[in-house]
Amino acid sequence: MKKHIKIIISISLIVVMLFGAAFVLKYAYERYVHATYPLKYQDDVKAASEKYNIDEALIYGVIKTESNFNPDAVSGAGAIGLMQITPDTFEWIQTYYKDDDYTVDDLKNYSVNIDYGTHILSILMDMYGDEDTAVCAYNAGIGRVDGWLADKQYSDDGKTLKTLPFAETENYRHKVQLNKNAYIKLYFQDKNSKNSDK
């Protein structure tokens, strides 16, 4: 009888230890995932999302892909800040702002960078009417994307891209989508399901 009780106690302890280990692993995994996909600059992202009617998860997806949340990031092509805006693109987007007296150096300011980057995304969304195409244009530029859309090799309908000639842009749009989806799953699932119910 005593041996039977010892076995039950041993099994119970093993079960408790397994549950404890599972809890610790789950907690560690959640901490890792949230650290990998942080909700930094929340107020600025939310404000830009509402101002330009761009999904917060998409903004975070672009920031994660472009700079991994480094506001001081500068690419080899000279793109600056969180959303990696080039000086040429900055000059172009400046034509939409009558009262701003920002300079290229202000792109290192995360608030300015998020506002300008989200505005660029909204212009591209209006221009193409398709998020995937807009994301490709954010990476490769309007001229290139317009050329691809006009080429039957890359677009059947002249509005969406079925394939891309640049592996960099293909990888970029894939990463943005993966990162956006991660943000939806972690933080915006309820919001997106409410939007889809409307």
Side-chain angles (χ1 to χ4, degrees):
M1 190 70 175
K2 286 183 179 179
K3 188 176 181 183
H4 184 67
I5 291 170
K6 282 183 182 179
I7 291 170
I8 291 172
I9 291 171
S10 296
I11 290 170
S12 299
L13 284 172
I14 289 168
V15 168
V16 168
M17 286 169 61
L18 286 173
F19 272 110
F23 177 79
V24 168
L25 285 172
K26 183 176 185 289
Y27 176 76
Y29 174 74
E30 285 176 358
R31 293 266 316 215
Y32 166 76
V33 169
H34 283 83
T36 303
Y37 297 98
L39 274 180
K40 290 184 175 181
Y41 315 108
Q42 250 182 302
D43 292 342
D44 292 281
V45 169
K46 188 174 170 64
S49 169
E50 291 171 358
K51 182 176 178 182
Y52 299 112
N53 195 29
I54 295 293
D55 190 348
E56 284 179 77
L58 176 59
I59 300 169
Y60 277 114
V62 170
I63 292 172
K64 171 73 179 167
T65 305
E66 288 284 359
S67 68
N68 199 25
F69 296 91
N70 178 4
D72 300 317
V74 179
S75 76
I80 299 165
L82 289 175
M83 297 184 78
Q84 289 290 278
I85 301 167
T86 64
D88 287 346
T89 303
F90 172 79
E91 285 181 21
W92 168 69
I93 196 68
Q94 273 275 286
T95 63
Y96 288 84
Y97 294 84
K98 303 294 183 209
D99 301 323
D100 288 352
D101 56 356
Y102 292 127
T103 66
V104 171
D105 284 340
D106 290 308
L107 290 175
K108 294 172 185 170
N109 178 316
Y110 64 84
S111 292
V112 173
N113 201 287
I114 290 169
D115 185 78
Y116 274 41
T118 306
H119 193 180
I120 292 164
L121 281 172
S122 76
I123 291 167
L124 296 173
M125 287 287 287
D126 288 344
M127 194 177 288
Y128 296 109
D130 176 70
E131 183 179 295
D132 203 44
T133 308
V135 165
C136 289
Y138 192 94
N139 174 258
I142 294 168
R144 278 199 186 110
V145 167
D146 285 350
W148 298 338
L149 288 172
D151 189 331
K152 291 290 184 192
Q153 186 179 351
Y154 306 118
S155 176
D156 290 329
D157 57 8
K159 296 175 184 176
T160 56
L161 295 162
K162 63 179 178 180
T163 185
L164 294 169
F166 284 4
E168 179 194 334
T169 304
E170 181 64 67
N171 291 336
Y172 178 83
R173 77 170 168 177
H174 180 67
K175 283 180 187 173
V176 168
Q177 193 60 48
L178 282 176
N179 288 328
K180 177 192 169 188
N181 289 341
Y183 272 93
I184 289 171
K185 188 175 178 183
L186 287 169
Y187 306 108
F188 302 112
Q189 205 156 22
D190 291 341
K191 183 178 178 182
N192 277 21
S193 62
K194 283 176 190 170
N195 288 341
S196 64
D197 291 340
K198 288 181 183 177

